[in-house]
Amino acid sequence: MVKLNKIYTRTGDDGTTGLVAGPRRKKHDLRVESYGEVDEANSCIGVVRQHLAGHPDLDRMLMRIQNDLFDLGADLATPDTGKKLEYEPLRIVQAQVDRLESEIDTLNADLEPLRSFVLPGGTAAAAALHVARTVARRAERRIVALQDSGETVSAAAVAYINRLSDFLFVAARWVNDKGNTDILWVPGQNR
């Protein structure tokens, strides 16, 4: 378990931060930015959950996702250097991706197929889900950039963050009265 009894350490005052394993990194390092974006997505989901009084099943799904996002942050904060560690590092696993896909399918089963792109909005919960979706997409871009820079990132971690934005999109439609109050894009409407 994690035990934090002192929040500030002053060790980051030089612009660096410690990972779970390995040397300190600059706070603008791609790995640090990646798990920082995941943390921001998690915070956005926390805001979403404040708007879900009538949707306890979706709230439970989002609570599981928030826990998964801490797992993803731990995964990203523990670079796989190929060296054996004294402990088993926490990693995103395929079962977490599979559960997310199953939950997407469950929500999507209640929705009619789209006839156009959806404008972010509708209910407060849907609008907040769309904000969380765009932050998750930004986290995904950061994680892929980290991977492209030559750093190791697991396929399951990339798949999870990719699937998360799909989940958040479907959930936004679902809370908009199962898509009935979606606001659809009308191409060229204001020309």
Side-chain angles (χ1 to χ4, degrees), residues 26-89:
K26 294 297 261 179
K27 290 188 178 184
H28 59 78
D29 180 273
L30 271 175
R31 186 165 292 278
V32 177
E33 293 243 354
S34 293
Y35 66 73
E37 300 283 356
V38 168
D39 185 35
E40 188 176 348
N42 203 345
S43 295
C44 288
I45 291 169
V47 172
V48 169
R49 293 185 62 213
Q50 301 308 303
H51 298 285
L52 294 180
H55 304 288
D57 292 340
L58 180 57
D59 186 56
R60 281 189 293 277
M61 290 177 191
L62 290 170
M63 188 168 87
R64 284 191 295 271
I65 287 168
Q66 285 191 289
N67 277 282
D68 286 351
L69 290 175
F70 262 84
D71 291 354
L72 179 57
D75 187 333
L76 292 168
T78 313
D80 184 356
T81 61
K83 295 179 183 173
K84 183 154 175 58
L85 298 173
E86 296 177 14
Y87 54 89
E88 182 69 30

Side-chain angles (χ1 to χ4, degrees), residues 64-162:
R64 284 191 295 271
I65 287 168
Q66 285 191 289
N67 277 282
D68 286 351
L69 290 175
F70 262 84
D71 291 354
L72 179 57
D75 187 333
L76 292 168
T78 313
D80 184 356
T81 61
K83 295 179 183 173
K84 183 154 175 58
L85 298 173
E86 296 177 14
Y87 54 89
E88 182 69 30
L90 188 54
R91 301 287 183 214
I92 289 291
V93 296
Q94 186 60 41
Q96 290 168 293
V97 178
D98 295 344
R99 191 202 70 246
L100 206 48
E101 289 176 355
S102 174
E103 291 176 344
I104 291 168
D105 294 341
T106 296
L107 296 175
N108 203 45
D110 291 336
L111 304 175
E112 292 294 322
L114 280 172
R115 302 178 318 277
S116 181
F117 289 107
V118 174
L119 299 179
T123 65
L129 281 158
H130 281 294
V131 171
R133 173 185 57 81
T134 61
V135 173
R137 279 285 185 223
R138 182 171 5 109
E140 179 184 9
R141 290 190 300 271
R142 240 352 138 195
I143 291 167
V144 170
L146 175 66
Q147 186 179 49
D148 288 350
S149 76
E151 295 248 11
T152 301
V153 179
S154 75
V158 175
Y160 188 90
I161 195 67
N162 182 29

